[in-house]
Amino acid sequence: MKTSNKFTLTRIVLAPVLFLIYFVPEWLQIQDGSFFAVISVCAFIPLLAFAEFTDFLDGFFARRHNEVSDFGKMFDPFADVFLHLSMFTCFVFAGYMPPVLYVLILYREFSQNFLRMVAAKKGTAIAARKGGKLKTVMYVVACFASLIQESLFRTGLADVWHVNMQVFYVVGVCVYIACAVLSYASFIDYLVHFGSVLKEAADEKK
């Protein structure tokens, strides 16, 4: 496997690992402020940061080693969505992300995946466009915004420092709204540039 694809695969492997690390303290009913609750945060933050950093690494090595391929153009955004939807699921259950925004983003990502599949069938590999990359950056910001809130609770610092968590929640919701808006704006951009492929496939005779 190419080096760039190995970094992409890392995000897919880490997604369920992060999901488990996030929920194990809750499943075991570990109290906030306890040693294991703090450890879960200390493990989660660097792992998520590394997972996000692999998005840069796969592109870097793809260009450096001349490994850019149609497979990589589809594999990279798939890994991004796989990771971020896993994280968003955590934050929906935790109450940081409004379910309606999660569902809207879920619809967008499934629709985008369908567009990529149709385009691939027609011999066109859809690479990430600038709008899609900006959307992904906002997804990353949203993940860490929610992770900050969860970290304050799990470490017990929210109580110790008398933090107004409502402010964090409102800011977090605003970030998720931005995620939803950018996701649909970028999807429209993809439709403008690749909608003809979708139309051509729909008009084909069975």
Side-chain angles (χ1 to χ4, degrees), residues 3-22:
T3 303
S4 56
N5 290 336
K6 288 180 180 178
F7 282 115
T8 304
L9 180 61
T10 300
R11 292 201 292 288
I12 295 175
V13 172
L14 285 178
V17 173
L18 287 164
F19 187 87
L20 288 174
I21 292 175
Y22 191 91

Side-chain angles (χ1 to χ4, degrees), residues 102-113 184 187:
Y102 175 78
V103 172
L104 286 174
I105 289 175
L106 195 67
Y107 287 165
R108 184 273 182 194
E109 297 300 345
F110 272 104
S111 299
Q112 177 69 18
N113 186 54
Y184 278 89
F187 183 57

Side-chain angles (χ1 to χ4, degrees), residues 1 15 23 28 41-42 60 69 78 80 105 122 144 164 182:
M1 181 181 286
F23 279 109
L28 298 180
V41 169
C42 291
F60 173 79
S69 64
F78 170 77
D80 289 340
I105 289 175
K122 303 296 293 183
F144 279 99
N164 185 350
L182 286 175

Side-chain angles (χ1 to χ4, degrees), residues 12-73:
I12 295 175
V13 172
L14 285 178
V17 173
L18 287 164
F19 187 87
L20 288 174
I21 292 175
Y22 191 91
F23 279 109
V24 163
E26 181 179 334
W27 293 337
L28 298 180
Q29 297 183 340
I30 295 174
Q31 293 184 343
D32 290 338
S34 67
F35 174 77
F36 288 106
V38 174
I39 287 296
S40 69
V41 169
C42 291
F44 196 97
I45 293 175
L47 278 177
L48 179 58
F50 175 70
E52 299 292 4
F53 186 54
T54 62
D55 194 17
F56 163 78
L57 293 176
D58 59 18
F60 173 79
F61 281 99
R63 291 185 294 271
R64 183 175 182 180
H65 296 163
N66 194 27
E67 297 177 350
V68 177
S69 64
D70 287 345
F71 175 79
K73 290 177 182 178

Side-chain angles (χ1 to χ4, degrees), residues 175-187:
V175 174
Y176 282 120
I177 291 174
C179 286
V181 171
L182 286 175
S183 70
Y184 278 89
S186 66
F187 183 57

